[in-house]
Amino acid sequence: MAAVDPATAASFSRLSFRRAVCPSPLRLPLSRAVAPGRLRASSTVVALHKRNPKRLKYAAERQFTRGDTGMLRVQVEPSGEDFWKLDPIIDLINRGAVGVIPTDTVYSIVCDLSNNESIDRLRRVKGIGDSKPLSILCRSLRDIDTYTTGFPRGTNQGQANIFRAVKRAIPGPYTFILPATKQFPKQCIKHGSSTRYAKRRQVGVRIPDDPICQAILQNLDEPLICTSVKYLSEDEWILDPVIIADLYEPLGLDFIVDGGPRIADPSTVVDMTGTIPTVIRQGKGPKLDWMVTKDEEEAQSMYGLKGA
């Protein structure tokens, strides 16, 4: 048998991710066992990708080099009939990948909450500094109780039971600002002067009402760090996953879950750190009767001072 040329052997050692794990470039096998009660996954997945012969040099280091095939792009139906396609995405997240998934509002860049290197890469991909706080996509109220001090549950002194009211609003298009606990990674809350929340160690928590997002979260062992996807030079959300792939793949994005175009309607942000839940950004979630706006909060404070 003829000896293998060293250059040829080296080229085989640099096979792309997709070719290295399966004989066909359109099929990815399951790389881990699925625990009982989790999503049943098929043994294959159709990965949609495009070749880009004029690839730009990455601005951020990537852990998952796949050669000409680029990042992994999986198209999923919101109906749930093909959620088995998500298994490779879950595997990539567990291995430290940074990617984009849909939520019940806009698309989000996400990564594993406990992987500091992934969090740093997420910041570089998004182009945000250390002083910018990051939010978390939670699987349940248990996650919120673990990484924050939780919602007020009422007292005998007349404090309202906000926890009961919040339970009726989630899952839903709300981001709640709560004090973070020591379990929340310091990497996600840097001290800085750009935002009022960065100094006070607070974090936004979400439980999105989106089948694709929930299917991913329920198959992970931890919540996801997240930040919304925007144009690199404009403060405007990107709603089309195809445009997201074009703009962010050269920056080092590892995967994208294509759940179809979204509507420019971000989550409603509610500050839960004061005496009254205050809406600091009105979005998709309606203002509920137990919330106040900034103006209402200021008016109540002024009235209280005059009354005193």
Side-chain angles (χ1 to χ4, degrees), residues 186-221:
K186 294 180 181 179
Q187 194 87 351
C188 302
I189 305 180
K190 302 280 187 170
H191 292 280
S193 58
S194 63
T195 66
R196 57 184 291 199
Y197 300 109
K199 291 183 177 180
R200 302 195 308 185
R201 191 170 175 80
Q202 298 169 356
V203 61
V205 295
R206 288 208 60 201
I207 303 181
D209 187 17
D210 179 83
I212 299 174
C213 184
Q214 287 189 358
I216 295 172
L217 288 170
Q218 295 305 320
N219 279 268
L220 295 171
D221 295 327

Side-chain angles (χ1 to χ4, degrees), residues 17 87 115 136 141 152 160 182 187 205 217 254 266 276 280 288-289:
F17 170 84
D87 191 79
N115 192 317
I136 52 177
L141 285 167
K182 293 181 179 180
Q187 194 87 351
V205 295
L217 288 170
D254 296 310
I276 304 175
I280 60 177
L288 303 177
D289 55 7

Side-chain angles (χ1 to χ4, degrees), residues 44-158:
T44 61
V45 57
V46 177
L48 304 180
H49 64 273
K50 65 177 183 178
R51 295 178 180 271
N52 184 357
K54 298 181 179 179
R55 296 180 60 96
L56 300 176
K57 183 177 180 180
Y58 292 145
E61 182 180 355
R62 298 180 64 149
Q63 291 178 308
F64 306 98
T65 302
R66 286 184 280 277
D68 292 338
T69 57
M71 69 181 181
L72 178 64
R73 180 179 168 208
V74 176
Q75 191 170 24
V76 183
E77 294 293 335
S79 62
E81 61 189 33
D82 56 354
F83 279 179
W84 51 268
K85 294 180 180 179
L86 295 172
D87 191 79
I89 299 297
I90 294 163
D91 179 63
L92 284 176
I93 292 173
N94 288 331
R95 292 167 51 196
V98 175
V100 169
I101 67 173
T103 71
D104 55 351
T105 53
V106 296
Y107 276 88
S108 288
I109 306 175
V110 299
C111 71
D112 182 13
L113 176 141
S114 63
N115 192 317
N116 290 339
E117 293 183 2
S118 297
I119 295 172
D120 284 339
R121 286 207 309 124
L122 180 147
R123 289 186 182 276
R124 292 199 298 270
V125 169
K126 177 69 179 291
I128 55 178
D130 290 345
S131 61
K132 179 72 174 180
L134 300 171
S135 299
I136 52 177
L137 297 178
C138 298
R139 301 165 298 175
S140 65
L141 285 167
R142 179 177 297 180
D143 285 339
I144 295 178
D145 288 338
T146 298
Y147 297 100
T148 75
T149 57
F151 299 102
R153 297 175 182 259
T155 64
N156 294 331
Q157 286 72 38

Side-chain angles (χ1 to χ4, degrees), residues 30-36 38-39 87:
L30 294 177
S31 56
R32 60 184 179 83
V34 180
R38 294 160 82 103
L39 292 177
D87 191 79

Side-chain angles (χ1 to χ4, degrees), residues 214-283:
Q214 287 189 358
I216 295 172
L217 288 170
Q218 295 305 320
N219 279 268
L220 295 171
D221 295 327
E222 294 181 309
L224 289 172
I225 293 296
C226 73
T227 180
S228 59
V229 182
K230 293 186 176 183
Y231 285 96
L232 301 176
S233 59
E234 303 175 21
D235 189 20
E236 182 180 349
W237 288 276
I238 309 178
L239 310 174
D240 190 333
V242 175
I243 298 177
I244 295 174
D246 287 341
L247 292 180
Y248 278 89
E249 180 182 3
L251 300 179
L253 202 67
D254 296 310
F255 68 85
I256 182 169
V257 178
D258 184 344
R262 302 281 140 159
I263 299 175
D265 209 356
S267 63
T268 294
V269 180
V270 184
D271 185 355
M272 306 290 289
T273 60
T275 56
I276 304 175
T278 304
V279 176
I280 60 177
R281 183 185 74 189
Q282 182 64 60

